[in-house]
Amino acid sequence: MNPFYARRRRTSSIAMALCLGATIFGLAWLTLILFTLFWNGFAGLTVAMFTEMTPPPNAQGGGLLNAIVGSLILTVLGIGVGAPIGLLAGTYMAEYGRFSKITSVIRFINDILLSAPSIIIGLFVYGAVVVPMGGFSGLAGALALAVIALPVVVRTTEDMLLLVPTQLREAAVALGMPQSYMIRKITWRAARVGLVTGLLLAVARVSGETAPLLFTALSNQFWSVDLTKTMANLPVTINNFINNPDPNWKRLAWAGALLITLAVLSLNIVARSLSGGRNPK
Amino acid sequence: MTDMILQEGAVEAPTNAWRAKALASFKLGDSVFRLLAQIAAATVLLLLGGIIISLIIGAWPAISTYGFDFLTTQRWAPNARPNPVLGGLGPIYGTLISSVIALLIAVPVGLGISIFLTELCPQWLRRPVGVAVELLAGIPSIIYGMWGFFVLGPMLADSIEPAIVDAVENIPVLNVIFAGPASNLSLFNASLVLAIMILPFVTAIARDVFNTVPPVLKEAAYGLGCTTWEVVRRVVIPYTRVGVIGGVMLALGRALGETMAVTFVIGNSFRITGSIFGPGTTISAAIASEFAESRDLHQSALILLGLLLFVLTFFVLAAARLMLMRLERKQGV
């Protein structure tokens, strides 16, 4: 083998070894995080966690019931507001305005909203809802989550509707179906699995968001389902518990973090298996 | 014959009325649905406008009080008498530095992983590793922040950081950048947590981008006798350069605005020390830790910081999207 070629081979091997090293390095960190999370989280996963309220500082026991219920309410409301608007907006982009200039503008803006810092959304909702309403409230928190969910749904809806073959639409219109019926009965139905996937991804995205809730829903140490008052929720509760040296709070914070992670991971896995089964890329 | 015609006519009249009614309701339903879709689409546009306007309104008192001095003042004293002195230099500096350090770590590692995934990895391992990376990209950032606070911070402060501080003690410049004492809360810890958080993100995008390279190009290069590294270096990376840069910008946008991964570990100090082992703050960390208790000018200054962050990420993300769109168009041709 000539020395020049040997050197090229060597360079290549070194570079590839570095890539392998990077993979091991990266995956090691991520495994370490998951391992710590499970290790510390399982210790706190008890029945009491799902049946008792958040404890005051320096107390024993207690659970996360009010925070879990609050998070569920905020998520359902946020998705309930954000998803229909997102679905309709995505439908407009894919069906009515597919080739118009405005659609590409909306797509561009939507992509920016999709990755805009979530704390900015919190500031926006603070200015638009909390200040006029005169105080922090569960409603403001839900609206902040709706603003976060909206671009996720818009994006997946448009992508999924664009996958529906045009012939289906043409066949429906040729039978005399009005466009709006065609969209609801044919294209939405054909893209149903994809639309559900988008919804699940939006729920996953929303359920771990902390920053936008910090000064909209705030948090609440007690049981409250009143939407006009501050409302307990898991992420902000975890945030408050971390900032305190109390070991009991720390234990609950880990357990809550594990709960959120498990929820987000399983939502992502379900969404992935749904879309993986139907439309393989 | 005439009977039949008469009968047909008799049946036709009500049918026409029914048809007209059905058509009218179709027409109404059609236009209502269309209108709703248009309103929803307009909402997306209005949302961006609403965010910008509400931030400008909220930030106006601070803008009119401090003007451009806000960008050059380091002192952050919301309780100073008679008037609060508020300058955004500290958080702006911290935001930029922590994001840059995070990218310096995450981009090479992420590119390495995606090269491994697209070129080296045995076929059966590709999907599991790829899926794992994508799932990790979805984990909420508060988990990373919590881990950084409880695990990574103490670990770094006890082992690696003191060693680095000692090693560079007598080297000029470096002994300022890496000045001790090492602590659990520092700019560097925050950057490292950020890096780990955006790593799956960088990897997933880079892998997708690398996968757009037509196999023919790579096969041609291998056919000429190129080594794997030469194929990556001379074919894959040049072909996907725009997309890779777009992906890096997207990751930068995420790092700039990240809140929860940073807030716990950065130390919330508005003073710029010059050492990356010293405490600092970022725009989002400052907002997260002070906003709920702030009032008047203090609150307005925090919103102004938020506005600056939004403008900054807007341009970074816009540039990223334009670049990724260019790659897509190339792929379409």
Side-chain angles (χ1 to χ4, degrees), chain B residues 171-191:
Chain B
I171 306 169
V173 184
L174 285 184
N175 64 2
V176 177
I177 298 176
F178 298 105
S183 87
N184 288 359
L185 307 173
S186 73
L187 259 177
F188 179 75
N189 293 1
S191 312

Side-chain angles (χ1 to χ4, degrees), chain B residues 43-301:
Chain B
T43 310
V44 176
L45 294 179
L46 292 178
L47 209 53
L48 185 81
I51 291 173
I52 295 173
I53 291 170
S54 111
L55 287 179
I56 290 178
I57 292 175
W60 190 251
I63 297 176
S64 55
T65 313
Y66 300 115
F68 269 106
D69 289 346
F70 189 79
L71 297 176
T72 52
T73 312
Q74 208 194 112
R75 186 149 178 248
W76 182 267
N79 298 318
R81 297 275 168 249
N83 294 310
V85 183
L86 298 163
L89 190 60
I92 294 170
Y93 164 86
T95 303
L96 296 177
I97 293 290
S98 61
S99 302
V100 167
I101 299 176
L103 281 188
L104 286 179
I105 299 170
V107 168
V109 177
L111 289 183
I113 298 178
S114 43
I115 291 172
F116 174 79
L117 278 177
T118 50
E119 303 297 329
L120 275 186
C121 189
Q123 204 70 38
W124 58 270
L125 202 62
R126 261 175 217 199
R127 230 181 107 72
V129 175
V131 170
V133 165
E134 281 170 31
L135 287 180
L136 286 165
I139 290 186
S141 55
I142 190 171
I143 310 291
Y144 289 96
M146 190 175 178
W147 175 80
F149 181 69
F150 285 129
V151 182
L152 184 71
M155 198 165 92
L156 288 176
D158 289 344
S159 54
I160 303 164
E161 289 177 4
I164 296 178
V165 172
D166 289 343
V168 298
E169 206 172 8
N170 298 315
I171 306 169
V173 184
L174 285 184
N175 64 2
V176 177
I177 298 176
F178 298 105
S183 87
N184 288 359
L185 307 173
S186 73
L187 259 177
F188 179 75
N189 293 1
S191 312
L192 194 54
V193 174
L194 262 185
I196 295 170
M197 200 201 85
I198 59 174
L199 180 60
F201 190 69
V202 176
T203 308
I205 295 183
R207 188 203 53 182
D208 289 349
V209 165
F210 286 161
N211 275 333
T212 63
V213 180
V216 185
L217 285 184
K218 287 198 273 183
E219 283 156 14
Y222 280 121
L224 289 174
C226 284
T227 61
T228 314
W229 171 243
E230 283 161 354
V231 172
V232 171
R233 180 74 191 75
R234 308 278 172 211
V235 177
V236 174
I237 292 183
Y239 186 85
T240 54
R241 192 176 335 139
V242 180
V244 170
I245 297 174
V248 170
M249 301 277 272
L250 219 53
L252 175 63
R254 180 161 282 215
L256 285 171
E258 181 45 47
T259 311
M260 301 322 292
V262 170
T263 307
F264 300 121
V265 287
I266 200 157
N268 290 316
S269 153
F270 285 77
R271 259 191 53 224
I272 299 173
T273 59
S275 163
I276 61 167
F277 289 155
T281 193
T282 68
I283 292 177
S284 48
I287 298 173
S289 50
E290 296 195 359
F291 193 83
E293 279 109 44
S294 64
R295 277 184 295 119
D296 308 331
L297 208 53
H298 182 197
Q299 185 166 72
S300 177

Side-chain angles (χ1 to χ4, degrees), chain A residues 29-277:
Chain A
W29 283 118
L30 298 165
T31 330
L32 184 62
I33 292 179
L34 285 182
F35 176 76
T36 340
L37 180 65
F38 278 81
W39 182 263
N40 290 300
F42 269 121
L45 273 187
T46 53
V47 181
M49 197 178 108
F50 298 99
T51 56
E52 290 179 29
M53 304 296 154
T54 45
N58 304 315
Q60 286 302 308
L64 293 166
L65 178 63
N66 50 347
I68 294 172
V69 172
S71 264
L72 287 177
I73 295 176
L74 291 180
T75 306
V76 168
L77 268 180
I79 295 290
V81 174
I85 302 179
L87 178 67
L88 283 171
T91 305
Y92 175 82
M93 292 160 74
E95 302 287 340
Y96 290 110
R98 182 180 288 200
F99 302 106
S100 74
K101 194 86 192 157
I102 192 86
T103 297
S104 39
V105 174
I106 296 175
R107 192 180 301 129
F108 186 71
I109 300 280
N110 189 64
D111 279 346
I112 294 207
L113 286 176
L114 193 64
S115 18
S118 55
I119 194 149
I120 300 293
I121 309 294
L123 284 179
F124 163 61
V125 172
Y126 180 87
V129 181
V130 176
V131 173
M133 272 181 67
F136 303 109
S137 65
L139 188 66
L143 287 177
L145 294 184
V147 176
I148 306 238
L150 176 70
V152 182
V153 179
V154 172
R155 181 69 188 269
T156 44
T157 304
E158 198 208 354
D159 286 352
M160 291 303 153
L161 291 182
L162 287 180
L163 288 179
V164 176
T166 315
Q167 285 91 326
L168 277 181
R169 297 190 181 93
E170 287 166 351
V173 172
L175 288 173
M177 217 179 207
Q179 197 175 7
S180 65
Y181 287 73
M182 179 270 285
I183 290 170
R184 273 176 293 167
K185 304 284 181 200
I186 308 291
T187 43
W188 277 4
R189 195 163 286 189
R192 194 173 41 202
V193 178
L195 299 182
V196 172
T197 309
L199 194 70
L200 290 176
L201 288 178
V203 176
R205 170 80 200 271
V206 154
S207 50
E209 282 293 348
T210 317
L213 295 176
L214 282 174
F215 31 82
T216 51
L218 210 62
S219 193
N220 191 331
Q221 211 187 315
F222 307 103
W223 174 263
S224 166
V225 288
D226 185 351
L227 278 178
T228 59
K229 302 268 168 53
T230 61
M231 190 179 266
N233 57 85
L234 267 181
V236 180
T237 304
I238 294 173
N239 174 61
N240 295 343
F241 282 11
I242 294 173
N243 283 322
N244 194 291
D246 182 357
N248 188 38
W249 274 14
K250 186 177 165 182
R251 181 184 63 89
L252 282 173
W254 277 114
L258 179 61
L259 204 62
I260 292 185
T261 309
L262 288 178
V264 170
L265 282 182
S266 45
L267 279 168
N268 272 316
I269 290 171
V270 171
R272 168 175 291 281
S273 57
L274 272 182
S275 63

